[in-house]
Amino acid sequence: MAGAIIKGLKSSDFELMLSERDAETSQAVATELGIAAATSHQDLIDQADLVVLGVKPQFLESALAGLEMTKPVLSMAAGVTLERLAALTSSDIPLIRIMPNLNAQILKSTTAICFNSLVSDDMKIVAKRITDSFGSTFEIAEKDFNTFTALAGSSPAYIALFIEALAKSGVKYGFAKDLALDIVNQTVLATAENLLTGSDSPHTFIDKVSSPGGTTVAGVLDLEKTGLTASVVSSIDVTIDKANNL
Ligand SMILES: NC(=O)c1ccc[n+]([C@@H]2O[C@H](COP(=O)([O-])OP(=O)(O)OC[C@H]3O[C@@H](n4cnc5c(N)ncnc54)[C@H](OP(=O)(O)O)[C@@H]3O)[C@@H](O)[C@H]2O)c1
């Protein structure tokens, strides 16, 4: 995820520096990504204006142990609250929490952002410039982060599952898998774009595709007979519940 974010930031005017597990790895990864390397985490903190944390949540505590965190911090760690982040870093620094998704790989992440009370308006603008560099940004209350995680963080996997199921149906009726996937991906992409840029709600859109007595309405009713809406809502319930209990 940090690599995807660096890719986005490289097209901006931010100066970037990274610190990996050790100086040798930092230098190798930094050379690969075309940015500067710090000699240690503390060296990076001392030189930076803002520290971005990209390690997995379970390694955050050990990665931060013994460091003097004197600079504002931006964390992407799933499930790690601003309160927990303050306990791991320092209680008197500006803290920014984000939740990106894997579409950051193509600079199209849907990213949530929230701030502690020490983040100034100017710093909020800088933080949003950072997240906008790899997608779109939604400022939401921290209490809604787990809902956002389900709707935007995890949902790319659910959407991919739907795409895979449609493509498999194409294979069942004789299409090669690659061709079926291409057809379905193009259709899903265009449908999302149509809903995003057009004036139709999903409801109106479904009605427009469903000619009276036609094929689509038969398929839509069958999807509901097997409980598509209930199934999706149930999976979101389970995702939020899991995030609440991490
Ligand atoms: N993946 C997603 O879709 C996604 C979505 C939202 C948020 N996030 C968040 O993004 C963060 C990174 O997740 P990820 O999936 O990108 O994990 P990842 O692929 O494991 O990347 C973590 C990176 O941190 C490095 N690292 C581990 N310990 C370190 C240390 N002590 N000092 C410096 N670097 C260290 C790892 O190096 P090694 O390879 O040597 O271990 C690796 O390059 C997590 O907090 C996660 O919650 C991820």
Side-chain angles (χ1 to χ4, degrees), residues 33-53:
L33 293 172
I35 64 173
T39 54
S40 67
H41 291 349
Q42 192 63 55
D43 175 41
L44 182 141
I45 294 166
D46 293 344
Q47 293 194 57
D49 298 314
L50 175 73
V51 177
V52 177
L53 301 175

Side-chain angles (χ1 to χ4, degrees), residues 1-5 18-22 25-26 29 41 53-60 62-64 67 75-80 98-105 109-110 149 152-154 156:
M1 182 56 73
I5 289 174
L18 66 75
S19 178
E20 265 277 357
R21 289 173 184 279
D22 52 63
T25 316
S26 296
V29 178
H41 291 349
L53 301 175
V55 297
K56 291 226 183 261
Q58 60 269 35
F59 303 132
L60 213 47
S62 57
L64 292 168
L67 296 174
S75 162
M76 65 189 83
V80 178
I98 66 168
M99 173 48 58
N101 72 19
L102 202 57
N103 291 327
Q105 284 176 331
S109 170
T110 317
T149 302
S154 304

Side-chain angles (χ1 to χ4, degrees), residues 3-4 6 27 48 52 60 62 67 91 105 113 120 128 135 174 178 184 191 197 228 233 238:
I6 287 169
Q27 193 55 63
V52 177
L60 213 47
S62 57
L67 296 174
S91 57
Q105 284 176 331
I113 195 165
S120 67
K128 285 180 189 165
D178 285 357
V184 173
T191 304
T197 58
L228 181 76
V233 174
V238 169

Side-chain angles (χ1 to χ4, degrees), residues 167-175:
K168 278 205 179 90
S169 310
V171 174
K172 181 179 175 187
Y173 287 95
F175 280 137

Side-chain angles (χ1 to χ4, degrees), residues 101-103 149-165 235:
N101 72 19
L102 202 57
N103 291 327
T149 302
L151 290 185
S154 304
S155 73
Y158 311 154
I159 294 162
L161 193 63
F162 180 75
I163 289 171
E164 174 68 12
S235 84

